[in-house]
Amino acid sequence: GAPGVFPEPQQDPVIAIAGAVLRQGCREPFLRVVFTLRACAPLRGATVRSFGSEGDLLQVRFGVKNADF
């Protein structure tokens, strides 16, 4: 994409989605995760999940419930 212009979905692929999860009242996240298009170098302190296509990457479902942890 062009600098300073919001990406256009028809021509600019999504290459990464990242998230951090905090417990209420805590300052530091207990979970950091990065979903990437194709492989990526390890990121210290984060879980990296790579996908082979943009379609697969955009199908990520990320839900957190109290019972999960």
Side-chain angles (χ1 to χ4, degrees):
V5 176
F6 195 79
E8 295 288 331
Q10 295 80 11
Q11 55 191 354
D12 298 309
V14 173
I15 60 168
I17 299 170
V21 180
L22 286 87
R23 287 191 175 93
Q24 187 171 351
C26 295
R27 292 180 170 259
E28 293 295 317
F30 70 91
L31 177 64
R32 293 180 178 102
V33 63
V34 179
F35 304 102
T36 66
L37 180 59
R38 293 185 288 280
C40 154
L43 299 169
R44 187 175 24 154
T47 299
V48 177
R49 298 283 186 245
S50 300
F51 297 86
S53 72
E54 183 183 19
D56 291 341
L57 172 63
L58 294 175
Q59 293 296 317
V60 168
R61 301 279 192 270
F62 187 66
V64 177
K65 298 178 185 175
N66 289 337
D68 291 341
F69 300 99

